[in-house]
Amino acid sequence: MTRTTALTEVTDETFAEEVLNSDVPVLVDFTADWCPPCKMVAPVLADIAAEREGALKVVSLDVDSNPRAQAAYGVMSMPTLMVFRDGEPVRSVVGARPKARLLKDFEDVL
């Protein structure tokens, strides 16, 4: 079943509170409105967010509106998906991918 739950949006101002200070791992989707692969991966991330609710937080950050977080983590391509644990980035992947592959890429850090 595909869920269409929108991801929580974070900004440069809320990044520390929502991501760095989270009690659970956070998967950050560095995204942009002009990015077709970003639109393709959004429903996959919404599914993961719904399935792992409580154990994993999934958020999106628009890089055009929030350049500080993008620059702080060296994000150059969209979408970049980065998992944070205890306030530190522990793994990142670039590009849209199917749900099964994305979960496999992150299985040891989620």
Side-chain angles (χ1 to χ4, degrees):
M1 173 167 103
T2 301
R3 297 167 181 89
T4 56
T5 306
L7 301 180
T8 301
E9 290 187 27
V10 296
T11 64
D12 281 342
E13 288 73 31
T14 63
F15 193 85
E17 178 186 340
E18 293 288 334
V19 177
L20 304 181
N21 297 331
S22 177
D23 293 336
V24 296
V26 183
L27 174 55
V28 180
D29 173 24
F30 290 88
T31 189
D33 285 341
W34 48 262
C35 165
C38 297
K39 291 178 179 26
M40 290 171 39
V41 79
V44 171
L45 296 174
D47 270 359
I48 292 170
E51 288 172 7
R52 306 257 175 135
E53 188 174 358
L56 172 71
K57 186 188 295 189
V58 183
V59 301
S60 68
L61 180 123
D62 182 312
V63 297
D64 291 328
S65 303
N66 301 284
R68 290 196 315 265
Q70 174 192 4
Y73 296 100
V75 174
M76 302 300 287
S77 300
M78 281 17 97
T80 291
L81 307 171
M82 194 174 294
V83 173
F84 286 78
R85 209 172 240 262
D86 300 321
E88 296 294 327
V90 292
R91 169 92 30 87
S92 67
V93 297
V94 176
R97 51 201 54 187
K99 181 177 170 184
R101 171 138 178 247
L102 186 61
L103 290 172
K104 181 152 182 52
D105 288 343
F106 287 130
E107 70 184 342
D108 62 329
V109 295
L110 292 182

